[in-house]
Amino acid sequence: MNPYILSTLLIGLGLGTTITFASSHWLLAWMGLEMNTLAIIPLMAQHHHPRAVEAATKYFLTQAAAA
């Protein structure tokens, strides 16, 4: 994975976690959790092993259905 993309995903993951912890409103907490989801799914599928791709796909579908 390109180092710029990897660093962007890791920064997004940290920012989403920070927003979730520092939120005082449920909408900000939800936005932080969604940012974490969008950042963690590509990181989960980074290794092109069939189980990693399957786990990322299942996680994405579960999150999409819940949102």
Side-chain angles (χ1 to χ4, degrees), residues 1-41:
M1 182 177 286
N2 190 348
Y4 295 118
I5 295 173
L6 182 62
S7 63
T8 302
L9 290 173
L10 291 176
I11 289 171
L13 191 63
L15 184 63
T17 303
T18 304
I19 288 173
T20 303
F21 284 144
S23 65
S24 60
H25 194 270
W26 65 269
L27 185 63
L28 285 174
W30 177 75
M31 284 175 50
L33 291 173
E34 290 296 322
M35 284 179 65
N36 281 339
T37 300
L38 291 175
I40 200 71
I41 289 175

Side-chain angles (χ1 to χ4, degrees), residues 41-58:
I41 289 175
L43 292 173
M44 285 173 59
Q46 181 179 4
H47 303 291
H48 296 291
H49 190 272
R51 288 195 171 214
V53 174
E54 179 186 0
T57 304
K58 286 180 179 178

